[in-house]
């Protein structure tokens, strides 16, 4: 029930948002373990929030949309309109088999992960990322969530999800490939922070966080371009710890972890160039610019979007530093935090 209350509260919070709210505007402070010797800092994951789960009876089917009679324990609304977009996956809740909108039936139970943007109309309207249908009576529908951390174990991996559940994946776990992904098979090796999983389990422990051993999981590709974690002044990109020493050592200023732009960018396979006449730094990938900024400025340009920085970029002894928070946004990284086993 705790998970249900959390998700319901999250949905109520986004009911006031318009569909036009930019994803880059969202900020969620994240507490990180920091050693006693390291000055305190805060990292924030800015970007698209995870979709919100809604469920209920499909009381009306429209043109690529359905109206659910809300079964959440919230009094803020009675119905929600779920739009089905081009990227919406409709899946059989038992087998994980791909379905189409024509397979949905009025009167059946539906689980959907929508938004997070929703209109402030009544009923609220949002677009689904995943829809589960063909749910038998008294069947525990699988859960869709995003990976926060992955810990190797003797039996496989323990995966801490953003719904506060630790999944114990072993050699007995069946792995399914999400429909539309070019991979033919997947395994535990494909699961990293930022990966999304649809997990089938019927029992969770009463611990905090809850723990479960899924019979099978469906693996979805990550929406991020990589992932990052920290331990004090140590920064890890995609599982590899950066060599930050001497003038390139990470540091804490005004509560922000400042790291060398070049070290992070090159760890992600990017190239960094500096124009001395304009004091502008450009970061490219395969010859295509990802973003640029001027040293001392409080904003950067990513594509056609101007991104406000939480701390101005600075150059010290020939090394350009930027807040790790800002590099997380500019490189579309997943900030891996939470349960460590």
């Amino acid at each position: 029930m705790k998970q249900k209350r959390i998700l319901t509260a999250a949905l109520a919070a986004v009911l006031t948002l318009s569909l036009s709210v930019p994803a880059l505007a969202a900020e969620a402070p994240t507490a990180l373990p920091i050693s006693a010797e390291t000055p305190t800092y805060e990292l924030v994951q800015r970007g698209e929030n995870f979709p919100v789960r809604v469920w209920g009876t499909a009381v009306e089917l429209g043109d690529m949309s359905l109206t659910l009679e809300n079964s959440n324990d919230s009094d803020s609304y009675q119905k929600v309109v779920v739009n089905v977009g081009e990227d919406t996956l409709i899946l059989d809740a038992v087998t994980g088999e791909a379905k189409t909108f024509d397979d949905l039936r009025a009167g059946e139970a539906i689980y959907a992960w929508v938004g997070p943007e929703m209109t402030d109309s009544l009923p609220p309207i949002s677009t689904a990322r995943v829809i589960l249908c063909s749910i038998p009576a008294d069947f525990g529908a699988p859960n869709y969530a995003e990976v926060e951390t992955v810990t190797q174990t003797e039996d496989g991996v323990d995966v801490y999800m953003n719904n506060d559940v630790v999944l114990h994946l072993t050699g007995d776990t069946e792995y399914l490939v999400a429909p539309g992904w070019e991979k033919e098979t997947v395994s535990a090796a494909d699961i990293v922070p930022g990966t999304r999983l649809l997990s089938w389990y019927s029992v969770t422990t009463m611990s905090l966080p809850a723990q479960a051993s899924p019979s099978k999981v469906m693996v979805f590709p990550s929406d991020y371009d990589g992932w990052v974690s920290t331990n004090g002044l140590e920064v890890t990109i995609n599982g590899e710890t950066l060599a930050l020493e001497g003038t390139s050592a990470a540091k804490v200023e005004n509560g922000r972890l400042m790291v060398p732009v070049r070290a992070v960018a090159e760890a992600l396979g990017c190239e960094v160039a500096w124009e001395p006449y304009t004091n502008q730094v450009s970061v490219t990938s395969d010859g295509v610019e990802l973003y640029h900024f001027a040293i001392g400025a409080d904003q950067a340009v990513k594509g056609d979007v101007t991104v406000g920085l939480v701390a101005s970029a600075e150059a010290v002894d020939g090394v350009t530093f930027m807040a790790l928070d800002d590099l997380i946004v500019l490189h579309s990284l997943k900030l891996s935090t939470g349960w460590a086993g």
Side-chain angles (χ1 to χ4, degrees):
M1 292 300 295
K2 177 182 177 183
Q3 178 188 355
K4 184 175 180 181
R5 288 194 297 269
I6 292 173
L7 290 170
T8 300
L11 179 58
V14 298
L15 284 176
T16 59
L17 295 177
S18 165
L19 285 169
S20 62
V21 173
L24 287 175
E27 294 193 8
T30 304
L32 296 174
I34 301 173
S35 67
E37 296 78 15
T38 303
T40 300
Y41 63 82
E42 180 184 65
L43 288 177
V44 294
Q45 175 84 66
R46 293 183 293 168
E48 180 184 356
N49 294 321
F50 191 78
V52 177
R53 185 178 70 171
V54 297
W55 67 94
T57 302
V59 294
E60 182 180 347
L61 297 179
D63 182 15
M64 298 302 290
S65 70
L66 59 149
T67 301
L68 293 183
E69 189 76 43
N70 174 42
S71 292
N72 289 342
D73 55 359
S74 169
D75 296 327
S76 59
Y77 63 96
Q78 294 181 330
K79 295 180 180 180
V80 58
V81 176
V82 178
N83 288 332
V84 178
E86 293 182 359
D87 298 327
T88 302
L89 279 178
I90 302 176
L91 305 172
D92 185 292
V94 178
T95 66
E97 176 186 359
K99 297 289 187 177
T100 68
F101 184 80
D102 291 336
D103 293 316
L104 303 180
R105 297 288 181 268
E108 74 167 318
I110 295 290
Y111 277 62
W113 281 263
V114 303
E117 293 84 6
M118 303 184 74
T119 65
D120 58 3
S121 59
L122 287 177
I125 303 171
S126 189
T127 299
R129 178 71 178 258
V130 174
I131 292 175
L132 300 181
C133 63
S134 303
I135 306 174
D138 300 323
F139 177 78
N143 283 281
Y144 180 64
E146 187 170 281
V147 176
E148 295 292 333
T149 62
V150 180
T151 305
Q152 298 294 323
T153 68
E154 292 183 359
D155 299 324
V157 295
D158 285 350
V159 183
Y160 175 58
M161 309 300 293
N162 70 337
N163 61 350
D164 287 327
V165 175
V166 176
L167 304 179
H168 301 293
L169 307 182
T170 69
D172 295 328
T173 307
E174 179 184 359
Y175 291 89
L176 305 177
V177 182
W181 200 3
E182 66 277 6
K183 282 182 172 289
E184 294 183 0
T185 61
V186 289
S187 67
D190 296 292
I191 300 175
V192 298
T195 302
R196 295 181 177 185
L197 302 178
L198 186 66
S199 308
W200 282 258
Y201 54 86
S202 56
V203 178
T204 60
T205 66
M206 297 296 292
S207 59
L208 290 175
Q211 303 186 42
S213 297
S215 58
K216 61 184 176 183
V217 294
M218 177 176 288
V219 183
F220 295 74
S222 174
D223 283 350
Y224 304 89
D225 292 335
W227 59 276
V228 59
S229 62
T230 65
N231 182 15
L233 297 180
E234 184 179 87
V235 179
T236 300
I237 301 289
N238 293 340
E240 298 292 332
T241 301
L242 300 183
L244 304 179
E245 300 174 343
T247 58
S248 295
K251 55 187 178 179
V252 177
E253 292 183 354
N254 299 319
R256 297 296 180 185
L257 181 61
M258 305 295 289
V259 298
V261 174
R262 185 178 298 276
V264 172
E266 291 183 348
L268 293 164
C270 301
E271 297 181 347
V272 181
W274 171 59
E275 171 52 60
Y277 297 104
T278 61
N279 222 17
Q280 180 171 289
V281 176
S282 298
V283 178
T284 60
S285 176
D286 295 327
V288 178
E289 183 181 273
L290 292 181
Y291 60 91
H292 68 263
F293 62 92
I295 295 173
D298 59 1
Q299 61 185 29
V301 177
K302 181 177 182 179
D304 57 358
V305 177
T306 298
V307 181
L309 305 179
V310 298
S312 299
E314 61 181 21
V316 180
D317 295 329
V319 179
T320 302
F321 287 85
M322 182 177 281
L324 183 57
D325 317 62
D326 295 322
L327 290 170
I328 286 171
V329 173
L330 296 172
H331 283 280
S332 301
L333 301 178
K334 168 67 177 180
L335 174 59
S336 176
T337 64
W339 186 76

